[in-house]
Amino acid sequence: SNAQTFTSVVKTSLGAGAFSLPFVFFQAGWLVSVITTVAIAWVSARTMCMLAQSERRCAHALGVPRLTYPQLVAYALEGFLPATVLSRTVNAIITLGTIAVCAAFVALVSGTMALELNLSRHTTILACGAVELVLCQLRTFHILSFTSGVGNLAIAAGFGVVVAYGAMHAPPLPKMQGVA
């Protein structure tokens, strides 16, 4: 559904790196950080809207309800390269991107587990890898929808904790001259 796709894109976009945002805001300053964040959000949203609009137009032109990314690229670049080459290239890029996101989360989870459980980093990486091998055998991820919801709540709680910690432990802002 559109809501599930939106949630997936947001979770992928935020990722583990979002936990560093309070530090980045502290280093760059509020004004620069807010302006940059809003600008990047606008560009991202605009790009997603353009992509969705392109998909709808191409699907309408082909008389089909929906197109996948590989199909959309093959249609948009028809004649540039063979459709199979384009589709395989897009699938490879999507796969590599997904692997990169998974690797970042494995690094985050295994590092946290190593600290919290007082285990070696190698042990926790092997444990995460074993879990991933089991998850790779699933043919549908519908059975994981509950855990995805719990994960969303955990991420939201994590952001709240990071922001609250930053607000409580940040050094005081310098006073501006001429302001009482």
Side-chain angles (χ1 to χ4, degrees):
S1 74
N2 287 340
Q4 289 170 326
T5 303
F6 174 77
T7 302
S8 247
V9 169
V10 168
K11 285 187 343 188
T12 302
S13 298
L14 291 176
F19 287 108
S20 66
L21 284 176
F23 180 72
V24 172
F25 270 57
F26 175 73
Q27 291 293 314
W30 284 100
L31 183 63
V32 171
S33 298
V34 169
I35 290 171
T36 304
T37 302
V38 169
I40 291 171
W42 182 84
V43 169
S44 297
R46 182 71 184 124
T47 303
M48 290 301 293
C49 288
M50 290 170 64
L51 182 61
Q53 186 179 32
S54 297
E55 186 274 332
R56 283 192 296 273
R57 285 182 179 170
C58 291
H60 179 71
L62 293 172
V64 295
R66 292 272 180 216
L67 290 174
T68 63
Y69 284 128
Q71 292 169 333
L72 180 61
V73 170
Y75 179 75
L77 300 177
E78 188 176 11
F80 180 68
L81 286 173
T84 54
V85 172
L86 292 168
S87 293
R88 287 182 181 152
T89 301
V90 170
N91 279 329
I93 291 169
I94 290 170
T95 301
L96 289 173
T98 304
I99 289 170
V101 169
C102 288
F105 277 107
V106 166
L108 175 72
V109 169
S110 64
T112 304
M113 283 175 54
L115 288 173
E116 293 297 322
L117 301 177
N118 201 21
L119 297 171
S120 76
R121 181 82 181 228
H122 291 81
T123 301
T124 56
I125 288 174
L126 288 173
C128 288
V131 170
E132 282 190 29
L133 284 175
V134 171
L135 292 175
C136 287
Q137 304 307 311
L138 296 175
R139 296 287 176 219
T140 179
F141 291 104
H142 290 288
I143 58 174
L144 297 177
S145 60
F146 173 74
T147 59
S148 180
V150 171
N152 290 342
L153 291 174
I155 288 172
F159 285 138
V161 167
V162 167
V163 170
Y165 180 85
M168 292 180 347
H169 294 86
L173 295 173
K175 292 187 179 187
M176 298 176 71
Q177 292 179 350
V179 178

